[in-house]
Amino acid sequence: MNNDIKQEIDKIEIPLQLHLRSHMGIKQAKLEQVESRQSMKRWTHRKTIVALVVAFILITTAIFNTQVIAAIQKALQYFPGIGMVVEEEIPQDRYVLKEAVTTQIEDGIVVITGMLVDEKMTYLTISGIDTKRVQDIKIINEEGIVYTLESGGTSSTSGQWGGSFWQQGMLDIKGRIQVVIGYNPETVIPLTLTKAASFNSYQDLGETDSANGVSITAIANRVEGKARISLVSQHTDKFRISDFGIHGVHEEKKLYIADDKGKIYELEQYMGFSSPASEFYFDLSESDVKTYSLTIPEINVIYDDKAKISLDIPSAVEASSVVDKTFEIAGFPVKITKLERIDSNQLRLYVDLKYNEYSSKSLHNFKINSSHMAKLNEHTRVLEYLQFDIKPGSKVMKLTITDPEVVMRGPWKFELPTYKYFGKDD
């Protein structure tokens, strides 16, 4: 592996989750970015974009990535395009962008996907396709006062980019405003912010289904000729959802939309800046469809757990040793079956995760506290071995196992009547 790549990988730190601190100043956080697996003939090399440090104040007892944990049922507020739910006894006056706003710029588009304004901060999410990344944003309120938002960072891939901008403190931003994008010349986008609605339960937000200890709510509405679906969840804080099935661990078990005539719909997404992806669109049928159904066969979660192991390194280059050592992580047993010394500074660790595709949940992957490559089974996507650096002459290797990934199987099913969620705009 190229040394420069190794050094960059060593610097990457992915958090278990971003907590929104209540009544506390600024917390620095690193946003987990796009993580993709690229299949090769022999290797699947896990790539991760270096997480960007973002400092901001966010409101009351919530956790980013759509999860809310609370002992007592309270009022709920949901923020479209941002994918966040806040639960509190007395809901604040907050202003949100109800629908994404798309602006054509030359041969591409810029989409303001979400915006939130409250007494603690102003937060905006934005995406672009075939356009330059936005570097700075200004907001002009109804009185003509100009506010400048700070960049929370951007990420990009294959002609698309996504980012966030924010400003700490209470700003006088509501109603009809203008967003000014710092292109040359500047682009002015008019928006209307409306007061965030409060709800008594997740069922009031949208259709809700539970499986495997995870409750998922599908928030559905019509945006012109498209349906927009946003997913939020409730579950224990022992893990976080890393994929609602939109991208899918297994291609054949990805989330899908069908209508009552059996047609399967293609999903569209704007690139976001938070993980997991939780919002998508699809074109509504022009025929007389009475009901659309959303099915999530399985989701992927990452547990907040770790394990420490110690390995005796084979002394000779290209030597291997059979190992019969088992450790446990996230409640799953993992058996180390073999160690193979590839060369003087590379070790390969073979594992058996006891994967069962018919169980309600299965461990299929994990990370270690060292730069590494991973070989996944082409069919099951289960980890087979890790290869990582060792110091020449080392006899023992100590590893910390982190971020155990678990497939949780549903299904979660949602019936979405057209008259209730996708009636034509007035």
Side-chain angles (χ1 to χ4, degrees):
M1 191 190 308
N2 183 281
N3 286 333
D4 292 337
I5 296 175
K6 291 180 188 176
Q7 291 171 6
E8 288 304 312
I9 294 175
D10 287 339
K11 297 175 185 176
I12 296 173
E13 297 178 10
I14 304 300
L16 290 172
Q17 58 191 345
L18 287 179
H19 292 277
L20 306 185
R21 288 191 173 183
S22 173
H23 311 301
M24 300 178 67
I26 297 176
K27 177 184 177 181
Q28 284 194 328
K30 294 182 180 179
L31 289 179
E32 180 178 13
Q33 293 307 299
V34 180
E35 181 178 281
S36 63
R37 300 184 183 96
Q38 182 181 5
S39 296
M40 298 182 179
K41 186 175 182 181
R42 295 187 62 193
W43 289 99
T44 296
H45 184 194
R46 185 168 226 180
K47 299 178 184 176
T48 310
I49 296 176
V50 178
L52 300 169
V53 177
V54 182
F56 51 75
I57 290 179
L58 281 174
I59 37 191
T60 67
T61 53
I63 297 175
F64 213 52
N65 296 344
T66 72
Q67 181 190 353
V68 173
I69 303 297
I72 301 174
Q73 184 66 45
K74 302 176 183 179
L76 303 173
Q77 286 185 342
Y78 168 71
F79 311 130
I82 295 176
M84 185 174 73
V85 172
V86 163
E87 185 172 342
E88 57 196 354
E89 293 182 5
I90 302 176
Q92 294 184 29
D93 285 345
R94 299 185 174 95
Y95 292 87
V96 298
L97 181 65
K98 290 183 67 175
E99 297 180 359
V101 174
T102 301
T103 302
Q104 186 81 29
I105 297 180
E106 296 181 348
D107 295 328
I109 61 171
V110 168
V111 185
I112 299 178
T113 52
M115 190 167 177
L116 164 65
V117 180
D118 76 349
E119 65 180 17
K120 297 290 181 67
M121 69 169 297
T122 294
Y123 184 71
L124 179 148
T125 55
I126 188 169
S127 180
I129 299 175
D130 296 328
T131 61
K132 294 183 297 183
R133 280 187 283 182
V134 171
Q135 302 297 326
D136 57 86
I137 282 181
K138 296 178 182 177
I139 305 292
I140 305 175
N141 71 2
E142 291 180 323
E143 285 71 41
I145 300 173
V146 180
Y147 301 97
T148 299
L149 303 189
E150 299 179 22
S151 175
T154 58
S155 61
S156 62
T157 180
S158 302
Q160 297 190 46
W161 57 267
S164 65
F165 291 80
W166 66 282
Q167 185 57 264
Q168 175 186 342
M170 186 173 181
L171 306 182
D172 184 14
I173 299 176
K174 60 184 177 182
R176 294 182 179 179
I177 65 170
Q178 293 177 315
V179 175
V180 182
I181 296 176
Y183 286 133
N184 187 15
E186 291 182 333
T187 299
V188 179
I189 303 173
L191 300 182
T192 299
L193 302 181
T194 57
K195 199 171 184 178
S198 296
F199 301 87
N200 293 323
S201 67
Y202 280 84
Q203 287 75 13
D204 291 338
L205 281 170
E207 302 299 323
T208 302
D209 194 16
S210 297
N212 232 328
V214 177
S215 177
I216 298 176
T217 299
I219 303 170
N221 67 294
R222 182 187 182 108
V223 179
E224 297 180 344
K226 296 180 181 292
R228 177 173 69 177
I229 309 293
S230 302
L231 303 174
V232 296
S233 62
Q234 288 179 292
H235 54 78
T236 174
D237 60 357
K238 292 181 180 179
F239 59 80
R240 62 184 174 88
I241 296 176
S242 64
D243 180 23
F244 277 104
I246 295 176
H247 299 299
V249 174
H250 303 103
E251 184 67 26
E252 71 278 10
K253 295 182 180 179
K254 293 172 66 172
L255 173 156
Y256 65 92
I257 292 280
D259 64 23
D260 51 18
K261 303 178 188 305
K263 178 182 176 180
I264 304 296
Y265 288 76
E266 184 177 353
L267 308 184
E268 301 174 12
Q269 276 189 281
Y270 297 119
M271 186 173 180
F273 197 66
S274 62
S275 177
S278 60
E279 185 171 282
F280 61 89
Y281 296 74
F282 64 91
D283 290 326
L284 290 166
S285 175
E286 295 181 357
S287 61
D288 185 23
V289 171
K290 295 182 179 179
T291 303
Y292 296 87
S293 61
L294 163 62
T295 303
I296 305 175
E298 63 183 24
I299 62 175
N300 195 48
V301 307
I302 300 178
Y303 274 79
D304 182 10
D305 196 17
K306 62 178 62 176
K308 295 182 182 294
I309 60 174
S310 180
L311 306 171
D312 294 326
I313 300 173
S315 57
V317 173
E318 297 185 359
S320 63
S321 61
V322 177
V323 180
D324 187 10
K325 177 181 288 189
T326 300
F327 65 90
E328 185 175 287
I329 190 165
F332 294 89
V334 177
K335 184 177 181 180
I336 301 172
T337 59
K338 187 173 72 170
L339 288 175
E340 183 178 358
R341 188 160 186 168
I342 305 303
D343 54 37
S344 61
N345 60 358
Q346 288 271 303
L347 187 67
R348 186 176 290 176
L349 171 68
Y350 290 83
V351 293
D352 179 3
L353 303 191
K354 309 294 183 183
Y355 182 80
N356 182 352
E357 62 180 321
Y358 300 106
S359 64
S360 62
K361 58 182 74 172
S362 299
L363 177 70
H364 68 95
N365 204 353
F366 55 72
K367 295 178 182 176
I368 59 175
N369 62 329
S370 177
S371 61
H372 60 277
M373 297 181 71
K375 169 65 169 60
L376 306 182
N377 182 282
E378 292 183 3
H379 173 67
T380 64
R381 312 303 299 164
V382 176
L383 178 66
E384 293 184 349
Y385 63 77
L386 297 172
Q387 186 168 315
F388 49 90
D389 292 344
I390 57 174
K391 294 181 180 180
S394 298
K395 296 182 179 181
V396 176
M397 181 70 180
K398 293 183 179 181
L399 293 175
T400 300
I401 312 298
T402 65
D403 296 342
E405 293 188 45
V406 174
V407 168
M408 285 194 171
R409 299 181 175 92
W412 293 261
K413 293 186 176 182
F414 310 87
E415 295 298 315
L416 306 172
T418 301
Y419 78 89
K420 185 175 181 179
Y421 295 108
F422 308 124
K424 291 185 178 180
D425 301 329
D426 297 331

